[in-house]
Amino acid sequence: MEGQEGAQQPHLILAHKRFLLTHPDVQDIEKVRLKEEVLAAVKADDMAPFYETLVADGLVEKDQGFFDAMRAKNEEEIKKLDEKIADAEENLGESEVREAHLAKSLFYIRIGDKEKALEQLKTTESKTVAVGQKMDLVFHTLQIGFFYMDFDLISKSIDKAKNLFEEGGDWERKNRLKVYEGLYCMSTRNFKKAANLFLDSISTFTTYELFPYDVFIFYTVLTSIISLDRVSLKQKVVDAPEILTVIGKIPHLSDFLNSLYDCQYKSFFLAFAGLTEQIKLDRYLHPHFRYYMREVRTVVYSQFLESYKSVTIEAMAKAFGVTVEFIDLELSRFIAAGKLHCKIDKVAGVLETNRPDAKNALYQATIKQGDFLLNRIQKLSRVIDL
């Protein structure tokens, strides 16, 4: 089904509701409402194949009569579409044949039959000449990929779209592809690339079929905070007019961003606590929830310690509005993992920073990479000698 201008693709809304049905943090009473909404959507579009997956996953109980009625309607519709294709091939031109095949592809997408939809899209592509129309077919494939969270399909489709753009293609579709690729990067934990792609698309966003603009801004801010340095964050995010117009509509997000930049750490932690539920219940961010929590804390602790050669643990705990024991435990974990460059003097109750010199760090990295390269060359030479 085609995503309308300004409206999210209905199947992606359905996929999110299906995700919430499987989420342990969603209350049972809420799941009852979600199940009703999912079944209503299934019934409205006669989604027999998707209904089968819901039953297989144990999310709904199988109603054989309901399923048989949907399948009969599906078969009847497929018969009509095949007749249209046959009529177009016999009596009409190439563009009408393509349109008939596309209608069948969209029908399979609508009822949630992944394999047949992909197969039919390939058939439609073989009837398509224009690069723009081929790109639209790739976008349909990408939407199927995000519906099923099939990252292999998404990755191949993005590469295919980039190859198509080398043949030509308009800017509007190129900008849409950036958002699709950004969402893929965010979903596969490449937050830095996702942030850059999202920031490139802020002023040209038209990808409403994936998510509304305020959700796009939510993703942009979250990925930017752990990816950009302070100067870039100020220029591209904190002062960006496109972000400023929307950020107030998203609970806690403005406090989260501005308190970090203004070094109001107590307010930052309060806003961060408010955002955790939204991140946890997001279909794309949920798998990376613990990783994201760690990365944000690394950023904020590093920013605080940047200003000091040494600071008492008590002063840091007070700045963040937490206990000394909490900060001590937190920092010891991050120091052990090599995320923070400081050491704890437990007796004096002091933190001493030991930030590595940039040139020295570069020198050490070069030596390490050189050793690695020499080892690889030696292994390769042994293979060649054999």
Side-chain angles (χ1 to χ4, degrees):
M1 189 178 286
E2 304 237 29
Q4 297 160 3
E5 179 75 0
Q8 191 177 359
Q9 223 267 9
H11 278 46
L12 293 178
I13 298 172
L14 181 61
H16 182 64
K17 287 176 181 174
R18 183 190 178 285
F19 160 74
L20 292 177
L21 277 174
T22 63
H23 203 293
D25 291 351
V26 176
Q27 294 181 346
D28 288 343
I29 194 160
E30 181 68 10
K31 284 184 177 178
V32 171
R33 183 185 65 79
L34 284 165
K35 190 186 283 188
E36 287 172 1
E37 289 177 6
V38 167
L39 284 172
V42 167
K43 188 176 182 180
D45 283 336
D46 297 315
M47 300 175 73
F50 182 65
Y51 181 72
E52 278 189 295
T53 63
L54 292 175
V55 172
D57 294 340
L59 296 175
V60 296
E61 299 77 34
K62 188 164 187 178
D63 180 338
Q64 192 63 44
F66 177 55
F67 174 67
D68 289 343
M70 285 194 297
R71 196 161 59 177
K73 285 181 184 174
N74 288 170
E75 286 168 1
E76 189 184 325
E77 188 63 30
I78 289 165
K79 191 178 174 185
K80 285 181 187 173
L81 289 165
D82 284 338
E83 284 170 5
K84 282 184 182 175
I85 290 169
D87 179 53
E89 285 174 345
E90 283 178 31
N91 307 313
L92 302 169
E94 288 179 6
S95 62
E96 286 82 1
V97 171
R98 181 196 173 275
E99 288 302 316
H101 278 287
L102 178 61
K104 192 175 179 183
S105 306
L106 296 178
F107 173 73
Y108 281 131
I109 293 171
R110 197 185 85 200
I111 63 172
D113 193 331
K114 181 187 175 186
E115 301 309 322
K116 286 186 178 173
L118 292 173
E119 190 183 313
Q120 189 60 37
L121 282 168
K122 280 183 184 173
T123 307
T124 309
E125 189 188 358
S126 68
K127 311 283 181 188
T128 305
V129 178
V131 174
Q133 289 179 333
K134 284 185 179 179
M135 270 304 308
D136 290 339
L137 296 176
V138 174
F139 285 130
H140 285 306
T141 309
L142 284 166
Q143 286 167 22
I144 294 170
F146 282 117
F147 182 80
Y148 291 99
M149 296 299 258
D150 184 341
F151 294 124
D152 185 48
L153 176 65
I154 295 166
S155 175
K156 286 175 180 172
S157 299
I158 288 169
D159 290 342
K160 185 177 181 179
K162 286 179 178 175
N163 290 333
L164 280 171
F165 279 135
E166 287 176 13
E167 298 173 26
D170 57 87
W171 281 106
E172 192 262 337
R173 288 187 176 94
K174 283 184 181 178
N175 289 326
R176 281 176 66 200
L177 183 66
K178 281 183 185 177
V179 180
Y180 278 87
E181 189 179 0
L183 182 58
Y184 166 70
C185 291
M186 187 183 78
S187 304
T188 52
R189 207 178 281 186
N190 187 348
F191 289 115
K192 189 172 181 63
K193 189 174 180 183
N196 290 329
L197 287 163
F198 286 154
L199 288 166
D200 281 351
S201 310
I202 277 185
S203 57
T204 56
F205 180 82
T206 55
T207 323
Y208 295 101
E209 68 272 15
L210 282 183
F211 35 63
Y213 191 61
D214 56 344
V215 173
F216 171 66
I217 294 299
F218 175 68
Y219 292 153
T220 304
V221 172
L222 290 188
T223 52
S224 298
I225 276 177
I226 62 169
S227 307
L228 304 181
D229 56 62
R230 262 181 79 80
V231 176
S232 301
L233 191 70
K234 174 75 171 167
Q235 288 172 349
K236 296 180 179 179
V237 183
V238 177
D239 291 341
E242 294 90 353
I243 290 176
L244 289 170
T245 55
V246 178
I247 198 167
K249 297 175 187 175
I250 305 159
H252 310 292
L253 192 63
S254 180
D255 291 341
F256 180 63
L257 174 64
N258 293 309
S259 57
L260 172 67
Y261 186 77
D262 297 335
C263 304
Q264 303 292 325
Y265 300 114
K266 198 180 286 188
S267 303
F268 175 81
F269 260 36
L270 288 169
F272 189 31
L275 275 177
T276 52
E277 194 71 9
Q278 282 173 265
I279 297 168
K280 203 186 286 186
L281 296 178
D282 186 274
R283 197 163 75 100
Y284 305 109
L285 289 170
H286 169 73
H288 317 295
F289 175 69
R290 290 171 70 84
Y291 172 83
Y292 186 81
M293 300 284 278
R294 266 199 317 273
E295 288 300 303
V296 168
R297 276 149 45 214
T298 304
V299 168
V300 74
Y301 294 148
S302 298
Q303 181 174 293
F304 177 85
L305 293 168
E306 193 79 29
S307 313
Y308 299 96
K309 181 71 181 165
S310 65
V311 61
T312 64
I313 300 174
E314 191 179 345
M316 187 170 178
K318 194 176 177 183
F320 283 92
V322 294
T323 62
V324 171
E325 291 76 17
F326 176 81
I327 280 289
D328 184 42
L329 183 64
E330 278 274 273
L331 295 182
S332 58
R333 284 179 189 156
F334 286 113
I335 292 165
K339 295 272 187 183
L340 292 176
H341 302 291
C342 62
K343 57 185 179 181
I344 301 172
D345 183 341
K346 189 79 173 172
V347 178
V350 170
L351 282 164
E352 293 178 13
T353 58
N354 55 353
R355 287 185 294 280
D357 175 55
K359 279 189 180 178
N360 191 34
L362 188 63
Y363 173 72
Q364 294 293 340
T366 307
I367 295 292
K368 191 176 179 181
Q369 287 167 355
D371 286 345
F372 178 70
L373 181 62
L374 283 170
N375 288 336
R376 293 291 295 272
I377 290 167
Q378 284 172 350
K379 282 180 184 176
L380 185 62
S381 66
R382 286 193 210 110
V383 174
I384 293 166
D385 288 343
L386 288 171

